[in-house]
Amino acid sequence: MKYNPKVNEQLARLPGFSQQHPAIPEHLSQGSLQLMYELQQALCEISGFPALTLQPSAGAQGEFAGMLMIHAWHQAQGNRRHKVLIPDTAHGTNPASAALCGYQVVPIASDGVLSVAAVAAAMDEDVAALMVTNPNTLGLFEAHIREICTLVHERGGLVYCDGANLNALLGVCRPADLGIDVMHFNLHKTFATPHGGGGPGAGPVGVSAALEPFLPLPVVVQEQGVYRLDCDRPFSIGRLRTFASQFGILVRAYAYVLTMGAAGLKKATQLAVLNANYIRARLEAAYHLPYVQRSLHEVVFSDAHLPNNCHTLDVAKRLLDYGYHPPTIYFPLVVQGALMIEPTETESRQVLDEFCDAMLAIAEEAEHHPELLHQAPVNARTRRLDETLAARKPRLKWQP
Ligand SMILES: Cc1ncc(COP(=O)(O)O)c(C=O)c1O
């Protein structure tokens, strides 16, 4: 997860950026088009892809765009493949995006990471693509990804990478070099922009040269120092949204890339991985670690070792009493009672220690005073909610 520096917000609010009309003619918006073009270039350099679209308004829409391009590529080859392989660790948006493109989703069981044998067993001539997250939602690097990409290609498929976890790879490895054909970026998880939550956000998509003709319209191009929106692309999958992009989000990501520089981005990745592993080392004696492979930017514990009928939800609610916004719980689904901790790279050792102390104190309470967990939160304004009712019939007005 990311810290969103204030300077990005200030730059996105500059009147020249924030007050321009999205339908402004190209000759009056050369600065904005240049920013988009240079962000495209930067993301291509970081990921290794030769071409990229900035259009999608969220990671999920990026997935949808990527799968549409895969579909268009197969159609252009005369292929009628109708299945997409997705590992059991995937984020829910992955099968949803594939299904929205008309694909039948085939789940692949993984043992933390995907094996070549599991993909080989499922990879027949009806499979259009494998959709894989790297590092996956357990925070584990897909160690066999190169062999898996080779296998999928040999059998006529393409590989989509959910790049939401790219914060663990910046400056260390480029997904395109691993054999990936298409990947979306979650700017809000890697490039310090606010989370889209389905929009407004941005989920750019990088593609291989073979998929470049299918990019959505328009694509920002530069010819002899002049920038323009290219709409003359006969094989394009078309438009995903009314205007070119969610521009304010792009300004923030561009500012982040330039202020960090190549060395700074790599350092952010190294610190994200270090912080997650520090938390892992401090908590693994107290909380069950279902997958013991080395983790990258996030670590997933479970509630399997908690005594006295204490569960993940109780830990999350008790964290509120200690003043912490709880981490993601009950995801990924392959871990029963999952507690996924993804510390921001900017957190200091002191902050990480305070959080770990709270988690260790809660584990002790589970042993000796389980009622403190069962009753939590006691220090928050509201106690436990009926979460289904809150989601279905939210009360959106503050009432004194
Ligand atoms: C692994 C993974 N894939 C996809 C998404 C979807 O991204 P968005 O919320 O921008 O649609 C997320 C969201 O955080 C994610 O963590």
Side-chain angles (χ1 to χ4, degrees):
M1 277 299 155
K2 295 304 274 201
Y3 155 66
N4 294 167
K6 283 199 181 68
V7 66
N8 295 356
E9 299 302 315
Q10 287 159 359
L11 293 170
R13 283 169 177 73
L14 287 176
F17 289 141
S18 62
Q19 290 177 23
Q20 66 176 334
H21 192 280
I24 190 170
E26 284 166 3
H27 71 278
L28 295 177
S29 58
Q30 283 295 297
S32 302
L33 290 174
Q34 181 178 355
L35 182 147
M36 291 168 74
Y37 182 80
E38 289 180 5
L39 180 60
Q40 277 178 194
Q41 302 291 99
L43 295 179
C44 283
E45 192 177 329
I46 287 166
S47 59
F49 292 103
L52 185 128
T53 174
L54 296 172
Q55 275 237 319
S57 299
Q61 202 187 21
E63 292 170 25
F64 179 59
M67 294 314 289
L68 281 180
M69 286 188 264
I70 286 177
H71 189 262
W73 181 84
H74 276 297
Q75 279 207 320
Q77 316 293 310
N79 296 339
R80 294 186 158 271
R81 297 177 174 234
H82 65 275
K83 294 196 285 195
V84 171
L85 310 181
I86 303 189
D88 52 8
T89 46
H91 193 261
T93 48
N94 290 187
S97 301
L100 272 176
C101 294
Y103 284 119
Q104 178 195 334
V105 173
V106 180
I108 308 285
S110 68
D111 182 21
V113 295
L114 208 49
S115 72
V116 182
V119 179
M123 191 63 219
D124 59 32
E125 67 263 22
D126 284 333
V127 175
L130 167 73
M131 208 175 178
V132 61
T133 308
N134 200 15
N136 64 30
T137 59
L138 291 163
L140 307 179
F141 186 78
E142 288 290 351
H144 313 294
I145 189 70
R146 273 178 189 276
E147 299 98 296
I148 288 173
C149 288
T150 306
L151 175 95
V152 173
H153 290 151
E154 279 170 1
R155 300 201 188 171
L158 295 176
V159 182
Y160 183 97
C161 180
D162 176 332
N165 292 338
L166 192 68
N167 203 36
L169 303 181
L170 290 181
V172 180
C173 124
R174 302 194 313 166
D177 297 341
L178 300 174
I180 306 290
D181 299 287
V182 198
M183 185 192 79
H184 82 263
F185 301 72
N186 272 29
L187 293 190
H188 48 280
K189 290 185 78 180
T190 316
F191 296 95
T193 71
H195 196 292
V205 182
V207 295
S208 64
L211 290 168
E212 199 258 339
F214 306 104
L215 284 173
L217 296 175
V219 175
V220 188
V221 295
Q222 188 253 112
E223 282 146 8
Q224 290 158 359
V226 178
Y227 300 90
R228 66 178 181 84
L229 295 172
D230 183 14
C231 291
D232 185 15
R233 302 177 65 83
F235 299 105
S236 167
I237 58 165
R239 276 184 180 272
L240 294 168
R241 63 201 313 285
T242 315
F243 296 112
S245 63
Q246 194 64 40
F247 183 69
I249 301 292
L250 305 185
V251 178
R252 292 168 172 89
Y254 180 76
Y256 181 70
V257 170
L258 289 193
T259 46
M260 295 294 278
L265 292 175
K266 183 171 180 177
K267 183 92 179 165
T269 279
Q270 290 168 333
L271 289 176
V273 174
L274 181 65
N275 283 0
N277 280 280
Y278 184 71
I279 289 180
R280 172 178 166 151
R282 282 213 58 199
L283 299 186
E284 65 188 331
Y287 289 87
H288 175 235
L289 192 65
Y291 293 93
V292 293
Q293 295 98 316
R294 272 205 67 194
S295 28
L296 292 184
H297 68 303
E298 64 194 10
V299 55
V300 179
F301 295 102
S302 92
D303 59 7
H305 290 173
L306 287 179
N308 299 321
N309 202 26
C310 290
H311 298 288
T312 290
L313 186 66
D314 304 312
V315 174
K317 296 296 182 192
R318 188 66 180 141
L319 272 172
L320 293 173
D321 286 337
Y322 279 86
Y324 289 98
H325 188 296
T328 301
I329 55 172
Y330 297 106
F331 180 80
L333 302 178
V334 282
V335 175
Q336 206 177 354
L339 195 79
M340 175 203 271
I341 305 178
E342 183 181 0
T344 313
E345 64 275 357
T346 40
E347 299 299 359
S348 65
R349 171 145 177 214
Q350 185 192 344
V351 169
L352 297 179
D353 273 332
E354 286 166 3
F355 172 75
C356 290
D357 290 345
M359 287 290 289
L360 293 173
I362 292 170
E364 279 286 310
E365 289 171 354
E367 187 81 39
H368 305 293
H369 302 285
E371 71 285 357
L372 291 175
L373 275 78
H374 293 140
Q375 289 161 9
V378 290
N379 297 333
R381 257 184 61 86
T382 41
R383 306 291 296 272
R384 294 203 189 189
L385 304 170
D386 179 334
E387 296 189 3
T388 312
L389 194 65
R392 296 283 176 272
K393 293 187 180 164
R395 263 197 251 146
L396 300 174
K397 282 191 195 150
W398 183 75
Q399 286 159 345

PDB file of all heavy atoms in Angstrom, residues 117-141:
ATOM      1  N   ALA A 117       3.280 -28.095 -13.686  1.00  0.00           N
ATOM      2  CA  ALA A 117       2.460 -29.290 -13.946  1.00  0.00           C
ATOM      3  C   ALA A 117       0.965 -28.945 -13.910  1.00  0.00           C
ATOM      4  O   ALA A 117       0.187 -29.424 -14.751  1.00  0.00           O
ATOM      5  CB  ALA A 117       2.779 -30.370 -12.921  1.00  0.00           C
ATOM      6  N   ALA A 118       0.558 -28.104 -12.955  1.00  0.00           N
ATOM      7  CA  ALA A 118      -0.871 -27.762 -12.837  1.00  0.00           C
ATOM      8  C   ALA A 118      -1.336 -26.999 -14.074  1.00  0.00           C
ATOM      9  O   ALA A 118      -2.431 -27.230 -14.600  1.00  0.00           O
ATOM     10  CB  ALA A 118      -1.107 -26.937 -11.581  1.00  0.00           C
ATOM     11  N   VAL A 119      -0.491 -26.099 -14.578  1.00  0.00           N
ATOM     12  CA  VAL A 119      -0.872 -25.346 -15.783  1.00  0.00           C
ATOM     13  C   VAL A 119      -0.868 -26.281 -16.992  1.00  0.00           C
ATOM     14  O   VAL A 119      -1.791 -26.255 -17.809  1.00  0.00           O
ATOM     15  CB  VAL A 119       0.073 -24.139 -16.005  1.00  0.00           C
ATOM     16  CG1 VAL A 119      -0.303 -23.381 -17.273  1.00  0.00           C
ATOM     17  CG2 VAL A 119       0.033 -23.198 -14.800  1.00  0.00           C
ATOM     18  N   ALA A 120       0.145 -27.140 -17.060  1.00  0.00           N
ATOM     19  CA  ALA A 120       0.247 -28.066 -18.206  1.00  0.00           C
ATOM     20  C   ALA A 120      -0.995 -28.952 -18.284  1.00  0.00           C
ATOM     21  O   ALA A 120      -1.531 -29.214 -19.372  1.00  0.00           O
ATOM     22  CB  ALA A 120       1.505 -28.909 -18.085  1.00  0.00           C
ATOM     23  N   ALA A 121      -1.476 -29.403 -17.128  1.00  0.00           N
ATOM     24  CA  ALA A 121      -2.626 -30.315 -17.111  1.00  0.00           C
ATOM     25  C   ALA A 121      -3.891 -29.638 -17.639  1.00  0.00           C
ATOM     26  O   ALA A 121      -4.763 -30.289 -18.207  1.00  0.00           O
ATOM     27  CB  ALA A 121      -2.844 -30.824 -15.692  1.00  0.00           C
ATOM     28  N   ALA A 122      -3.990 -28.320 -17.443  1.00  0.00           N
ATOM     29  CA  ALA A 122      -5.224 -27.613 -17.839  1.00  0.00           C
ATOM     30  C   ALA A 122      -5.117 -26.938 -19.198  1.00  0.00           C
ATOM     31  O   ALA A 122      -6.115 -26.494 -19.765  1.00  0.00           O
ATOM     32  CB  ALA A 122      -5.555 -26.569 -16.772  1.00  0.00           C
ATOM     33  N   MET A 123      -3.897 -26.862 -19.725  1.00  0.00           N
ATOM     34  CA  MET A 123      -3.643 -26.025 -20.904  1.00  0.00           C
ATOM     35  C   MET A 123      -3.959 -26.776 -22.208  1.00  0.00           C
ATOM     36  O   MET A 123      -3.090 -27.358 -22.827  1.00  0.00           O
ATOM     37  CB  MET A 123      -2.164 -25.586 -20.852  1.00  0.00           C
ATOM     38  CG  MET A 123      -1.753 -24.514 -21.814  1.00  0.00           C
ATOM     39  SD  MET A 123      -2.593 -22.953 -21.554  1.00  0.00           S
ATOM     40  CE  MET A 123      -2.861 -22.422 -23.223  1.00  0.00           C
ATOM     41  N   ASP A 124      -5.220 -26.739 -22.631  1.00  0.00           N
ATOM     42  CA  ASP A 124      -5.574 -27.394 -23.897  1.00  0.00           C
ATOM     43  C   ASP A 124      -5.855 -26.348 -24.974  1.00  0.00           C
ATOM     44  O   ASP A 124      -5.675 -25.143 -24.750  1.00  0.00           O
ATOM     45  CB  ASP A 124      -6.769 -28.339 -23.699  1.00  0.00           C
ATOM     46  CG  ASP A 124      -8.005 -27.611 -23.181  1.00  0.00           C
ATOM     47  OD1 ASP A 124      -8.172 -26.423 -23.531  1.00  0.00           O
ATOM     48  OD2 ASP A 124      -8.789 -28.222 -22.428  1.00  0.00           O
ATOM     49  N   GLU A 125      -6.305 -26.798 -26.159  1.00  0.00           N
ATOM     50  CA  GLU A 125      -6.442 -25.839 -27.270  1.00  0.00           C
ATOM     51  C   GLU A 125      -7.678 -24.952 -27.180  1.00  0.00           C
ATOM     52  O   GLU A 125      -7.927 -24.139 -28.067  1.00  0.00           O
ATOM     53  CB  GLU A 125      -6.372 -26.534 -28.642  1.00  0.00           C
ATOM     54  CG  GLU A 125      -7.511 -27.442 -28.961  1.00  0.00           C
ATOM     55  CD  GLU A 125      -7.179 -28.898 -28.644  1.00  0.00           C
ATOM     56  OE1 GLU A 125      -6.282 -29.170 -27.827  1.00  0.00           O
ATOM     57  OE2 GLU A 125      -7.840 -29.758 -29.238  1.00  0.00           O
ATOM     58  N   ASP A 126      -8.445 -25.086 -26.072  1.00  0.00           N
ATOM     59  CA  ASP A 126      -9.568 -24.167 -25.839  1.00  0.00           C
ATOM     60  C   ASP A 126      -9.173 -23.007 -24.931  1.00  0.00           C
ATOM     61  O   ASP A 126      -9.964 -22.104 -24.670  1.00  0.00           O
ATOM     62  CB  ASP A 126     -10.745 -24.910 -25.186  1.00  0.00           C
ATOM     63  CG  ASP A 126     -11.483 -25.750 -26.217  1.00  0.00           C
ATOM     64  OD1 ASP A 126     -11.438 -25.385 -27.401  1.00  0.00           O
ATOM     65  OD2 ASP A 126     -12.065 -26.781 -25.827  1.00  0.00           O
ATOM     66  N   VAL A 127      -7.940 -23.061 -24.389  1.00  0.00           N
ATOM     67  CA  VAL A 127      -7.531 -22.036 -23.424  1.00  0.00           C
ATOM     68  C   VAL A 127      -6.950 -20.816 -24.144  1.00  0.00           C
ATOM     69  O   VAL A 127      -5.969 -20.917 -24.875  1.00  0.00           O
ATOM     70  CB  VAL A 127      -6.503 -22.602 -22.417  1.00  0.00           C
ATOM     71  CG1 VAL A 127      -5.995 -21.485 -21.497  1.00  0.00           C
ATOM     72  CG2 VAL A 127      -7.130 -23.720 -21.597  1.00  0.00           C
ATOM     73  N   ALA A 128      -7.591 -19.675 -23.908  1.00  0.00           N
ATOM     74  CA  ALA A 128      -7.124 -18.432 -24.534  1.00  0.00           C
ATOM     75  C   ALA A 128      -5.986 -17.806 -23.743  1.00  0.00           C
ATOM     76  O   ALA A 128      -5.070 -17.217 -24.318  1.00  0.00           O
ATOM     77  CB  ALA A 128      -8.279 -17.434 -24.632  1.00  0.00           C
ATOM     78  N   ALA A 129      -6.066 -17.920 -22.415  1.00  0.00           N
ATOM     79  CA  ALA A 129      -5.056 -17.236 -21.602  1.00  0.00           C
ATOM     80  C   ALA A 129      -4.987 -17.797 -20.195  1.00  0.00           C
ATOM     81  O   ALA A 129      -5.931 -18.410 -19.699  1.00  0.00           O
ATOM     82  CB  ALA A 129      -5.389 -15.742 -21.514  1.00  0.00           C
ATOM     83  N   LEU A 130      -3.844 -17.532 -19.580  1.00  0.00           N
ATOM     84  CA  LEU A 130      -3.669 -17.725 -18.142  1.00  0.00           C
ATOM     85  C   LEU A 130      -3.650 -16.324 -17.540  1.00  0.00           C
ATOM     86  O   LEU A 130      -3.006 -15.418 -18.072  1.00  0.00           O
ATOM     87  CB  LEU A 130      -2.329 -18.425 -17.871  1.00  0.00           C
ATOM     88  CG  LEU A 130      -1.870 -18.410 -16.409  1.00  0.00           C
ATOM     89  CD1 LEU A 130      -2.697 -19.370 -15.560  1.00  0.00           C
ATOM     90  CD2 LEU A 130      -0.388 -18.786 -16.310  1.00  0.00           C
ATOM     91  N   MET A 131      -4.387 -16.154 -16.437  1.00  0.00           N
ATOM     92  CA  MET A 131      -4.437 -14.847 -15.768  1.00  0.00           C
ATOM     93  C   MET A 131      -3.805 -15.040 -14.398  1.00  0.00           C
ATOM     94  O   MET A 131      -4.358 -15.754 -13.551  1.00  0.00           O
ATOM     95  CB  MET A 131      -5.906 -14.450 -15.645  1.00  0.00           C
ATOM     96  CG  MET A 131      -6.156 -12.995 -15.625  1.00  0.00           C
ATOM     97  SD  MET A 131      -7.921 -12.671 -15.638  1.00  0.00           S
ATOM     98  CE  MET A 131      -7.843 -10.891 -15.560  1.00  0.00           C
ATOM     99  N   VAL A 132      -2.648 -14.441 -14.168  1.00  0.00           N
ATOM    100  CA  VAL A 132      -1.901 -14.727 -12.949  1.00  0.00           C
ATOM    101  C   VAL A 132      -1.428 -13.426 -12.300  1.00  0.00           C
ATOM    102  O   VAL A 132      -1.122 -12.464 -12.995  1.00  0.00           O
ATOM    103  CB  VAL A 132      -0.713 -15.680 -13.293  1.00  0.00           C
ATOM    104  CG1 VAL A 132       0.244 -15.068 -14.291  1.00  0.00           C
ATOM    105  CG2 VAL A 132       0.044 -16.132 -12.064  1.00  0.00           C
ATOM    106  N   THR A 133      -1.407 -13.404 -10.994  1.00  0.00           N
ATOM    107  CA  THR A 133      -0.952 -12.219 -10.254  1.00  0.00           C
ATOM    108  C   THR A 133       0.463 -12.500  -9.750  1.00  0.00           C
ATOM    109  O   THR A 133       0.718 -13.578  -9.221  1.00  0.00           O
ATOM    110  CB  THR A 133      -1.883 -11.955  -9.054  1.00  0.00           C
ATOM    111  OG1 THR A 133      -3.221 -11.920  -9.524  1.00  0.00           O
ATOM    112  CG2 THR A 133      -1.561 -10.644  -8.363  1.00  0.00           C
ATOM    113  N   ASN A 134       1.377 -11.530  -9.933  1.00  0.00           N
ATOM    114  CA  ASN A 134       2.755 -11.783  -9.512  1.00  0.00           C
ATOM    115  C   ASN A 134       3.392 -10.538  -8.930  1.00  0.00           C
ATOM    116  O   ASN A 134       3.492  -9.541  -9.634  1.00  0.00           O
ATOM    117  CB  ASN A 134       3.575 -12.269 -10.712  1.00  0.00           C
ATOM    118  CG  ASN A 134       4.842 -12.991 -10.267  1.00  0.00           C
ATOM    119  OD1 ASN A 134       4.978 -13.375  -9.117  1.00  0.00           O
ATOM    120  ND2 ASN A 134       5.775 -13.138 -11.186  1.00  0.00           N
ATOM    121  N   PRO A 135       3.872 -10.563  -7.657  1.00  0.00           N
ATOM    122  CA  PRO A 135       3.678 -11.634  -6.707  1.00  0.00           C
ATOM    123  C   PRO A 135       2.189 -11.810  -6.416  1.00  0.00           C
ATOM    124  O   PRO A 135       1.419 -10.862  -6.553  1.00  0.00           O
ATOM    125  CB  PRO A 135       4.440 -11.166  -5.460  1.00  0.00           C
ATOM    126  CG  PRO A 135       4.575  -9.701  -5.598  1.00  0.00           C
ATOM    127  CD  PRO A 135       4.617  -9.428  -7.066  1.00  0.00           C
ATOM    128  N   ASN A 136       1.824 -13.023  -6.016  1.00  0.00           N
ATOM    129  CA  ASN A 136       0.398 -13.305  -5.886  1.00  0.00           C
ATOM    130  C   ASN A 136      -0.174 -12.716  -4.588  1.00  0.00           C
ATOM    131  O   ASN A 136       0.537 -12.039  -3.830  1.00  0.00           O
ATOM    132  CB  ASN A 136       0.147 -14.806  -6.028  1.00  0.00           C
ATOM    133  CG  ASN A 136       0.792 -15.603  -4.904  1.00  0.00           C
ATOM    134  OD1 ASN A 136       0.945 -15.135  -3.788  1.00  0.00           O
ATOM    135  ND2 ASN A 136       1.172 -16.838  -5.210  1.00  0.00           N
ATOM    136  N   THR A 137      -1.426 -12.972  -4.332  1.00  0.00           N
ATOM    137  CA  THR A 137      -2.091 -12.315  -3.197  1.00  0.00           C
ATOM    138  C   THR A 137      -1.624 -12.870  -1.847  1.00  0.00           C
ATOM    139  O   THR A 137      -2.008 -12.344  -0.803  1.00  0.00           O
ATOM    140  CB  THR A 137      -3.621 -12.469  -3.308  1.00  0.00           C
ATOM    141  OG1 THR A 137      -3.925 -13.860  -3.331  1.00  0.00           O
ATOM    142  CG2 THR A 137      -4.152 -11.800  -4.559  1.00  0.00           C
ATOM    143  N   LEU A 138      -0.796 -13.932  -1.871  1.00  0.00           N
ATOM    144  CA  LEU A 138      -0.182 -14.398  -0.628  1.00  0.00           C
ATOM    145  C   LEU A 138       1.145 -13.676  -0.395  1.00  0.00           C
ATOM    146  O   LEU A 138       1.852 -13.953   0.576  1.00  0.00           O
ATOM    147  CB  LEU A 138       0.075 -15.915  -0.704  1.00  0.00           C
ATOM    148  CG  LEU A 138      -1.175 -16.802  -0.702  1.00  0.00           C
ATOM    149  CD1 LEU A 138      -0.834 -18.200  -1.196  1.00  0.00           C
ATOM    150  CD2 LEU A 138      -1.780 -16.855   0.691  1.00  0.00           C
ATOM    151  N   GLY A 139       1.500 -12.795  -1.347  1.00  0.00           N
ATOM    152  CA  GLY A 139       2.783 -12.087  -1.249  1.00  0.00           C
ATOM    153  C   GLY A 139       3.939 -12.949  -1.731  1.00  0.00           C
ATOM    154  O   GLY A 139       5.101 -12.644  -1.465  1.00  0.00           O
ATOM    155  N   LEU A 140       3.637 -14.045  -2.452  1.00  0.00           N
ATOM    156  CA  LEU A 140       4.699 -14.958  -2.905  1.00  0.00           C
ATOM    157  C   LEU A 140       5.011 -14.741  -4.381  1.00  0.00           C
ATOM    158  O   LEU A 140       4.078 -14.605  -5.201  1.00  0.00           O
ATOM    159  CB  LEU A 140       4.269 -16.415  -2.700  1.00  0.00           C
ATOM    160  CG  LEU A 140       3.806 -16.798  -1.289  1.00  0.00           C
ATOM    161  CD1 LEU A 140       3.396 -18.267  -1.247  1.00  0.00           C
ATOM    162  CD2 LEU A 140       4.902 -16.517  -0.263  1.00  0.00           C
ATOM    163  N   PHE A 141       6.297 -14.714  -4.709  1.00  0.00           N
ATOM    164  CA  PHE A 141       6.697 -14.586  -6.106  1.00  0.00           C
ATOM    165  C   PHE A 141       6.385 -15.896  -6.823  1.00  0.00           C
ATOM    166  O   PHE A 141       6.694 -16.978  -6.312  1.00  0.00           O
ATOM    167  CB  PHE A 141       8.201 -14.275  -6.204  1.00  0.00           C
ATOM    168  CG  PHE A 141       8.654 -13.981  -7.595  1.00  0.00           C
ATOM    169  CD1 PHE A 141       8.412 -12.738  -8.156  1.00  0.00           C
ATOM    170  CD2 PHE A 141       9.304 -14.946  -8.357  1.00  0.00           C
ATOM    171  CE1 PHE A 141       8.812 -12.450  -9.459  1.00  0.00           C
ATOM    172  CE2 PHE A 141       9.708 -14.669  -9.651  1.00  0.00           C
ATOM    173  CZ  PHE A 141       9.459 -13.426 -10.213  1.00  0.00           C
TER     174      PHE A 141
END
